[in-house]
Amino acid sequence: MSTSGSDAGTDPGTDRGASSSRPAGSAAADRAAAAHPDADTVAADTADTADTADTAEAAEAADVGAAPSATAPSAPGGAGRRGTVFDETMRGTVRLDGEDHARRVRLDLRVTTDRVLRPIGTTEARASGRIRVAGWADDADAAGELEISPLARRRIRYRISFTADGRRFTLDGWKSVTPRRPVASMTVLPFTLYENGERAGRGTLRFPVATGLVPFLASFRFPRAAEGPGTLMTPRWKGEPGRTEVWYTTLTDPESGTGLWLHHELTAPADGSEPYAHGWAAVFPKEGPVRHARFGPAEWTPGRAGFTAGGVEAVPGRLTGSAGALRWDLAEQAVDAPLFTFPRWSWRRPLLPAAQILPAARASYGGTFSYDDTTLTPTAAPGASARIYGHGNARRWAWLHADLGGGDVLEIVAAVSTRPGLRRLPPLVFLRLRRGTRDWPRRAERSAVGWAGLGRFRAAVGLPVWTVSGRAGLRRIRVEVTQPEDRTLALDYTDPDGSPAVCRNSERADAHVLLERWWFGGWRTEAEWTLDGTAHAEVGTR
């Protein structure tokens, strides 16, 4: 990673939806449409049974309201076209066939379209998120489709596929929109569960207007269609001297526990001399010493989809190359939306000295990675690729990428600027925690400057242990990262102006993350994660 600290402190300033498909036997669901219960005739035993915890989560949504970018591929029409993204949470009950009791259900969805919603027409949308059925299912990779047609067809139809007990089910239902009962018809979703086209249960979900309306409206975004995992790999450099651009990938092989690091960098020297491409690969085995090798420098050829130089490639969907005794050929599949660690505008318009993003907050890797006499063949290995564009490295920085499991991910960049007058300030912290379909803090600037100014989030950068803590809204977090010396690799960097820096990277770091929420006069643990050798971390110094 490394220039993830790229002078960050100088200014305070799978495709999963597309994978949804109409389930086998869904024609049977269509034939059942006429008999489907209307929103106003739902049985009383399927009423929403949200408890106190649900109320707390609804209040949380108001604070976490910002949503990640759409995971959909670019729509035809180019960068000028905008789509729609919003989040929706519904709760209710379902009665499975063969059971005499109802189970509580919670459905959290991220809905994306390739165009702005048309209230008077019909809009086809993709949906992805998490479905939880008490004592039966908890699938964070639920995916499907919506037909949004409140006036033209007077319905909003949901088809969401998910896994429970190792079997595949489809939730199929629709809100029957009528002007006679506008609130009920827009907030009550009767549905039927199908397995292989056969009915498996029936239930009802309700949208909680009192607690959910504000975060629902606040979640609406209209991103440009061109902003997706593939297009965010495109080079940013336009020929200016004194710039650094980085493509880096980190992942953990689930079978061996080995961590991998691929770093690809374009450097345009500040003196105006020819730009060059270079980088390295490193392997962090569970047993044995860390190994690494460099490639380049090589001539930079502009106009490619990602990084391509000297036989090494980091392009959308693929990573190939060799460095010394290390060779790799990896396929990359994005399984989450982009994550902007720095403010989104700082990537579109390079006004800050540097910006870092993840084209996909989570990705899955498969293929081969060879070193010495060992060949790894990772399958569905968790990790992520990231991008950096800026003027060089910070004076001091720390970085963490932590896949927390269940669709949750944490990204941290904390850095001290090299600029005179700013280098004595504490590190500015950019922290983004994605839980399901929501990002916290709501805006990337919040952790760096906060509502109360600098210092709401603090970082103590050192080795072998460094920490970040802070508070936003009704939540606070504490992160402790440990980089054992025998699992850490030190590498030299050279900035575009020729100044040196050293990073100490570990792809087998440990991390402990504690998230708390203020509740009735005290702090209560909301979530806690412990990563043993699967966190990706780095500390850089001058």
Side-chain angles (χ1 to χ4, degrees), residues 97-144:
D97 287 353
E99 294 188 348
D100 59 359
H101 64 281
R103 297 174 182 264
R104 288 191 297 174
V105 182
R106 174 173 174 140
L107 180 63
D108 296 284
L109 289 180
R110 158 57 50 81
V111 180
T112 67
T113 75
D114 290 332
R115 63 190 309 162
V116 175
L117 287 179
R118 300 185 301 166
I120 61 174
T122 298
T123 303
E124 299 293 335
R126 296 170 300 282
S128 62
R130 183 177 184 181
I131 185 169
R132 285 170 276 189
V133 181
W136 185 60
D138 187 352
D139 187 356
D141 293 314

Side-chain angles (χ1 to χ4, degrees), residues 204-254:
T204 301
L205 289 167
R206 297 175 184 267
F207 176 80
V209 178
T211 58
L213 182 60
V214 171
F216 170 71
L217 295 176
S219 73
F220 271 81
R221 297 290 183 271
F222 304 94
R224 295 187 182 277
E227 191 175 76
T231 57
L232 289 173
M233 291 292 287
T234 303
R236 299 298 310 278
W237 185 61
K238 304 300 182 184
E240 313 95 318
R243 297 292 189 275
T244 294
E245 184 162 8
V246 179
W247 297 253
Y248 69 90
T249 300
T250 60
L251 62 130
T252 300
D253 176 29

Side-chain angles (χ1 to χ4, degrees), residues 171-503:
L171 182 156
D172 191 341
W174 56 89
K175 300 172 181 176
S176 301
V177 181
T178 169
R180 292 183 293 112
R181 294 174 291 274
V183 176
S185 65
M186 290 288 288
T187 59
V188 180
L189 173 65
F191 67 86
T192 302
L193 286 184
Y194 291 95
E195 182 184 15
N196 297 324
E198 300 296 326
R199 199 185 85 169
R202 295 183 75 170
T204 301
L205 289 167
R206 297 175 184 267
F207 176 80
V209 178
T211 58
L213 182 60
V214 171
F216 170 71
L217 295 176
S219 73
F220 271 81
R221 297 290 183 271
F222 304 94
R224 295 187 182 277
E227 191 175 76
T231 57
L232 289 173
M233 291 292 287
T234 303
R236 299 298 310 278
W237 185 61
K238 304 300 182 184
E240 313 95 318
R243 297 292 189 275
T244 294
E245 184 162 8
V246 179
W247 297 253
Y248 69 90
T249 300
T250 60
L251 62 130
T252 300
D253 176 29
E255 181 175 349
S256 65
T258 300
L260 302 177
W261 178 26
L262 299 173
H263 178 103
H264 314 80
E265 183 170 335
L266 162 65
T267 301
D271 61 9
S273 55
E274 289 296 316
Y276 59 93
H278 67 111
W280 52 82
V283 56
F284 296 73
K286 195 169 185 178
E287 302 293 339
V290 178
R291 297 290 309 277
H292 83 282
R294 295 180 182 264
F295 57 84
E299 181 182 357
W300 173 253
T301 303
R304 303 296 177 88
F307 178 97
T308 302
V312 178
E313 288 191 347
V315 296
R318 199 147 196 90
L319 300 150
T320 59
S322 63
L326 281 60
R327 286 170 172 75
W328 59 93
D329 186 349
L330 299 170
E332 179 182 63
Q333 175 64 51
V335 294
D336 205 346
L339 181 65
F340 290 80
T341 317
F342 285 60
R344 186 186 303 261
W345 54 261
S346 69
W347 186 256
R348 294 174 179 165
R349 302 175 182 83
L351 302 178
L352 296 182
Q356 187 248 26
I357 65 166
L358 280 71
R362 296 180 299 123
S364 176
Y365 297 85
T368 61
F369 189 103
S370 302
Y371 65 100
D372 298 334
D373 296 326
T374 302
T375 298
L376 303 174
T377 57
T379 301
S385 287
R387 298 290 321 281
I388 301 167
Y389 184 65
H391 293 265
N393 295 283
R395 179 176 179 84
R396 190 160 49 99
W397 72 87
W399 162 78
L400 171 71
H401 175 79
D403 189 321
L404 305 174
D408 301 338
V409 65
L410 174 65
E411 189 81 8
I412 297 175
V413 174
V416 176
S417 173
T418 59
R419 303 290 177 87
L422 297 177
R423 63 184 62 177
R424 295 184 181 275
L425 294 177
L428 284 185
V429 177
F430 291 89
L431 179 149
R432 307 309 306 279
L433 171 64
R434 176 168 293 175
R435 301 190 66 197
T437 60
R438 302 183 185 277
D439 292 346
W440 178 85
R442 177 175 174 179
R443 297 186 63 85
E445 302 92 334
R446 185 80 179 276
S447 61
V449 294
W451 286 350
L454 300 176
R456 288 297 295 274
F457 280 70
R458 297 179 174 87
V461 179
L463 285 173
V465 178
W466 57 274
T467 62
V468 168
S469 60
R471 172 183 172 182
L474 298 178
R475 284 176 178 75
R476 70 180 184 185
I477 193 169
R478 177 173 173 80
V479 183
E480 182 177 289
V481 181
T482 303
Q483 297 183 213
E485 184 176 356
D486 62 340
R487 297 187 233 156
T488 299
L489 172 66
L491 284 176
D492 296 330
Y493 285 82
T494 301
D495 285 343
D497 63 2
S499 60
V502 177
C503 85

Side-chain angles (χ1 to χ4, degrees), residues 14-21 71-73 110 112 125-129 142-145:
T14 6
D15 194 353
R16 292 181 307 189
S19 66
S20 64
S21 59
T71 60
R110 158 57 50 81
T112 67
R126 296 170 300 282
S128 62
E145 56 198 25

